């Protein structure tokens, strides 16, 4: 049966625009249905969030003045919140040319500024206005939004989501006392930045501790830095009631009654799939995600989904990876499966938290005690000492044969360092040398001084552990040097 398109992308999210552009460059016939009248990908929040992190870091540097430089030299914006918003918008404007719908159209993508819904009969298609788009494959990239739970008093009290907060025109006049509900990655970034810029923040978490998916030593260090920025963290306290008394807003969280000028909601995210008629074409979904297999096909194998829709993690690099897998499966043959193990991710707090592969807890469940756990601290790195960024550590998990199983890095420039480890995991580069001179063979090239020195230190620490566990190697070395001395 003849079809109109090789791929129809539904949604103008960042990953949707990327997928459409990449498919068009491969000479596929592509349509992108924006699912809104403006076609906006609504991604400015990401840039504002990161610019807020950078400016709050500059403000902290001036406050600490660790290098003893005169205040008039260390200049920071007088209104840091407004400066962060303007800088983020400027960055977005500079980048938009590469990811705009105009660029898509110039590549030959049929961009349609409408909302569409699936139909099954007489043939499966996407109905957009009076048009019926038939394609060999469809990709849903409509993104997600913050879920606001049903709580007593919610309808009577105004509150903001993270997106609404950062996209306010009057961000410079944000209230002083803020209560933030939720512990997503982007929430922690925003909370720390606002606290450094002088806001009184109370962070409420339903779970027993911050970042429960991470090893305890990793989570505790991130929590310590949030608390050092004067963020008050309340754990194991679900919100049960919200109300307004006078000019203040109140909420009940566990056994705590908390007063605030503004409440910011940042809980789980739910996929934007209303009106798509997914049930009508056999696509199964739950409250927080669309169900997909390892090929990223939905339960209707002609329809794919990626990004927030299947995980709610809001990490652009993972969404791009998924889009590339989908393009290979949808445009060619459905042979390619996702493998998230070598994919790094990060939380852009200061210091950064970046991780790839398994945590130590996960690795112990698979390998037991037959592991090497190397912990190297930034205080031993020359560049960290020069910049005064000595807080943090690199935690490397290595298997019995020298294969890298996982890595977590907390520290300045961790988001850059993790890429080298991810590359080693993906290409199965081992830290294993069978010779007794292995310690001299492990040389990771790096520029000195640089933060990459910590990678070389960790590799050497691994071999010292390996050597210490091998009585045979230790005896051989002792015999060798005894013979040399004689």
């Amino acid at each position: 049966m003849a079809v109109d398109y090789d791929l129809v992308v539904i949604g103008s999210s960042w990953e949707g625009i990327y997928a459409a552009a990449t498919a068009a460059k491969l000479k596929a016939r592509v349509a992108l249905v924006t699912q809104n009248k403006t076609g906006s990908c609504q991604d400015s929040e990401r840039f504002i969030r990161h610019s807020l992190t950078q400016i709050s870091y500059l403000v902290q540097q001036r406050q600490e003045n660790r290098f003893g430089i005169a205040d008039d030299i260390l200049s920071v914006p007088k209104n840091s919140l407004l400066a962060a918003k303007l800088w983020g918008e400027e960055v977005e404007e500079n980048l938009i040319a590469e990811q705009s719908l105009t660029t898509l159209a110039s590549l030959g993508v049929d961009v349609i500024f409408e909302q569409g819904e699936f139909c099954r009969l007489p043939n499966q298609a996407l109905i957009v206005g009076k048009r019926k788009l038939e394609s060999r494959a469809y990709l849903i990239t409509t993104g997600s939004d913050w879920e606001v739970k049903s709580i007593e008093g919610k309808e009577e009290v105004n509150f903001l989501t993270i997106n609404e907060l950062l996209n306010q025109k009057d961000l410079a006049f944000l209230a002083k006392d803020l209560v933030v509900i939720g512990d997503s990655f982007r929430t922690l970034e925003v909370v720390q930045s606002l606290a450094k810029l002088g806001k009184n923040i109370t962070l409420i978490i339903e779970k027993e501790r911050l970042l429960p998916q991470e090893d305890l030593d990793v989570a505790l260090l991130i929590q310590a830095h949030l608390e050092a920025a004067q963020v008050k963290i309340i754990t194991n306290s679900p919100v049960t009631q919200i109300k307004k008394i006078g000019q203040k807003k109140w909420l009940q969280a566990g056994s705590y009654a908390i007063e605030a000028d503004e409440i910011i909601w940042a809980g789980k995210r739910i996929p934007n799939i209303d009106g798509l008629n997914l049930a009508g074409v056999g696509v199964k979904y739950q409250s927080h995600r669309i169900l997909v297999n390892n090929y990223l096909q939905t339960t209707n194998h002609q329809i794919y989904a990626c990004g927030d829709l299947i995980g709610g993690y809001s990490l652009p690099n993972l969404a791009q990876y998924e889009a590339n897998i989908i393009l290979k499966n949808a445009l060619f043959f459905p042979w390619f499966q996702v493998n998230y193990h070598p994919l790094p991710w990060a939380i852009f707090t200061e210091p950064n938290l970046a991780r790839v592969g398994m945590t130590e807890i996960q690795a112990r469940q698979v390998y037991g005690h037959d592991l090497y756990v190397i912990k190297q601290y930034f205080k031993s790195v020359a560049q960290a000492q020069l910049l005064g960024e000595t807080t943090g550590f690199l935690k490397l998990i290595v298997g019995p044969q020298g294969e890298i199983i996982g890595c977590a890095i907390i520290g300045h420039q961790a988001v850059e360092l993790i890429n080298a480890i991810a590359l080693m995991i993906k290409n199965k580069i081992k830290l294993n040398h069978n010779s007794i001179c292995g310690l001299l063979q492990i040389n990771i090239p790096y520029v000195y001084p640089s933060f990459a020195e910590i990678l070389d230190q960790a590799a050497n620490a691994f071999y010292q552990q390996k050597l210490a566990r091998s009585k045979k190697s230790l005896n051989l070395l002792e015999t060798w040097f005894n013979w040399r001395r004689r």
Side-chain angles (χ1 to χ4, degrees), residues 241-256:
Q241 185 181 21
I242 300 176
K243 59 183 177 180
K244 188 171 184 179
I245 302 177
Q247 300 300 315
K248 291 284 187 177
K249 298 175 183 180
W250 288 79
L251 55 82
Q252 185 72 33
S255 58
Y256 296 89

Side-chain angles (χ1 to χ4, degrees), residues 190-202:
V190 171
V191 160
Q192 187 188 49
S193 298
L194 291 177
K196 288 180 179 179
L197 296 175
K199 303 302 179 183
N200 298 325
I201 307 287
T202 301

Side-chain angles (χ1 to χ4, degrees), residues 212-225:
Q213 73 278 11
E214 301 304 313
D215 289 331
L216 185 59
D217 55 349
V218 172
L220 286 179
L221 185 53
I222 292 296
Q223 180 172 334
H225 277 279

Side-chain angles (χ1 to χ4, degrees), residues 75-189:
S75 177
V76 295
K78 291 182 179 179
N79 195 322
S80 301
L81 281 171
L82 179 60
K85 180 175 176 62
L86 294 176
W87 181 253
E89 290 174 345
E90 184 177 339
V91 170
E92 180 189 26
E93 187 177 340
N94 292 335
L95 295 175
I96 200 67
E98 298 295 323
Q99 300 173 354
S100 69
L101 299 179
T102 304
T103 302
L104 284 186
S106 69
L107 292 172
V109 177
D110 188 1
V111 180
I112 304 170
F113 293 85
E114 293 285 350
Q115 289 184 313
E117 67 172 310
F118 284 105
C119 71
R120 184 187 292 274
L121 298 174
N123 300 314
Q124 181 167 284
L126 187 75
I127 305 297
V128 183
K130 296 181 179 181
R131 296 180 62 179
K132 187 176 183 180
L133 309 183
E134 295 186 15
S135 175
R136 290 190 59 83
Y138 302 85
L139 171 56
I140 306 174
T141 60
T142 47
S144 64
D145 206 348
W146 296 103
E147 177 195 35
V148 180
K149 289 185 176 181
S150 178
I151 295 174
E152 182 183 344
K154 182 186 72 174
E155 292 78 12
E156 302 172 8
V157 180
N158 294 327
F159 54 85
L160 302 171
T161 65
I162 290 287
N163 290 34
E164 292 169 343
L165 167 71
L166 296 181
N167 285 305
Q168 285 189 108
K169 291 183 179 179
D170 57 347
L171 184 61
F173 303 101
L174 184 64
K176 179 77 171 178
D177 298 318
L178 307 174
V179 170
V180 182
I181 305 168
D183 63 343
S184 68
F185 296 172
R186 65 175 68 181
T187 304
L188 300 184
E189 296 165 9

Side-chain angles (χ1 to χ4, degrees), residues 238-348:
V239 177
T240 56
Q241 185 181 21
I242 300 176
K243 59 183 177 180
K244 188 171 184 179
I245 302 177
Q247 300 300 315
K248 291 284 187 177
K249 298 175 183 180
W250 288 79
L251 55 82
Q252 185 72 33
S255 58
Y256 296 89
I258 304 167
E259 179 188 74
D261 295 322
E262 188 62 79
I263 297 173
I264 301 167
W265 196 279
K268 293 182 178 179
R269 297 181 69 83
I270 53 175
N272 294 325
I273 55 176
D274 289 344
L276 283 175
N277 188 32
L278 295 183
V281 287
V283 174
K284 294 182 180 180
Y285 56 90
Q286 297 174 346
S287 59
H288 295 100
R289 66 188 184 101
I290 296 176
L291 301 179
V292 296
N293 59 19
N294 288 337
Y295 302 93
L296 297 178
Q297 295 169 313
T298 66
T299 46
N300 180 329
H301 287 184
Q302 209 176 345
I303 301 174
Y304 295 80
C306 70
D308 288 358
L309 295 171
I310 65 173
Y313 39 70
S314 304
L315 300 176
N317 62 316
L318 298 192
Q320 180 178 329
Y321 166 77
E322 291 166 351
N324 285 328
I325 293 290
I326 288 170
L327 291 177
K328 289 188 284 187
N329 288 333
L331 300 181
F332 301 100
F333 300 100
W335 296 341
F336 302 91
Q337 300 186 46
V338 289
N339 176 19
Y340 295 109
H341 182 65
L343 294 182
W345 59 264
I347 304 178
F348 289 85

